[in-house]
Amino acid sequence: MSERVGVVGGGIMGAGIAEVAARSGCQVLVREVDEAACAASERRIAASVERAVASGKLGADESAQIHSRLAFTTDLADFADRELVVEAVVEDETAKLAIFRELGAIVPQDAIVASNTSSIPIMKLAAASSCPERVLGIHFF
């Protein structure tokens, strides 16, 4: 299991991926475009976790542990220690290609880089990376 997970994009999909990873015990770093977006992502995850606490699906201790496993950044370079990185930004091919080019130069040689895209061929994203053999597509519901 990957213990250090990175999520690029903290919107609805990215926040959900980050929350699931943190609930699973992973240390999660979410990258957003600016501090305001980081704060919005953090609030989105906190609201989801609090709904789970209110409905009895999580205890207060579990909630605290989840929050302690989450961190936020605006710098992709902070992903230099990630074992798994999941890209979940807007469905814009140019933006995704730029992220995959940059991540290829940042993440460790054995890291897996994944995309949550629903419309862009993974082959295109992998070709933009310096590590195409470690790129995969996933889809989070």
Side-chain angles (χ1 to χ4, degrees), residues 18-19 22 27-30 45 65-72:
E19 180 183 342
Q27 294 298 319
V28 182
L29 182 59
V30 179
I45 296 168
Q65 290 172 3
I66 291 166
H67 290 295
S68 74
R69 294 183 194 118
L70 291 162
F72 299 83

Side-chain angles (χ1 to χ4, degrees), residues 1-8 13-30 45 48-49 62 65-71 82-86 138 140:
M1 175 174 94
S2 296
E3 293 181 13
R4 293 181 309 277
V5 174
V7 179
V8 184
M13 285 288 195
I17 294 165
E19 180 183 342
V20 167
R23 280 188 184 208
S24 298
C26 300
Q27 294 298 319
V28 182
L29 182 59
V30 179
I45 296 168
S48 177
V49 170
E62 292 170 300
Q65 290 172 3
I66 291 166
H67 290 295
S68 74
R69 294 183 194 118
L70 291 162
R82 300 292 102 175
E83 297 167 300
L84 169 66
V85 176
V86 181
I138 61 168
F140 183 82

Side-chain angles (χ1 to χ4, degrees), residues 21-76:
R23 280 188 184 208
S24 298
C26 300
Q27 294 298 319
V28 182
L29 182 59
V30 179
R31 186 269 193 167
E32 266 294 356
V33 294
D34 58 32
E35 292 298 330
C38 284
S41 180
E42 188 169 10
R43 285 191 304 273
R44 188 174 292 111
I45 296 168
S48 177
V49 170
E50 291 313 309
R51 282 191 301 273
V53 170
S55 69
K57 294 178 183 174
L58 283 177
D61 288 346
E62 292 170 300
S63 172
Q65 290 172 3
I66 291 166
H67 290 295
S68 74
R69 294 183 194 118
L70 291 162
F72 299 83
T73 186
T74 59
D75 190 352
L76 273 182

Side-chain angles (χ1 to χ4, degrees), residues 2 4 82-84 107-113 131 134:
S2 296
R4 293 181 309 277
R82 300 292 102 175
E83 297 167 300
L84 169 66
V107 298
Q109 291 294 322
D110 59 347
I112 295 171
V113 182
C131 55
R134 295 182 287 123

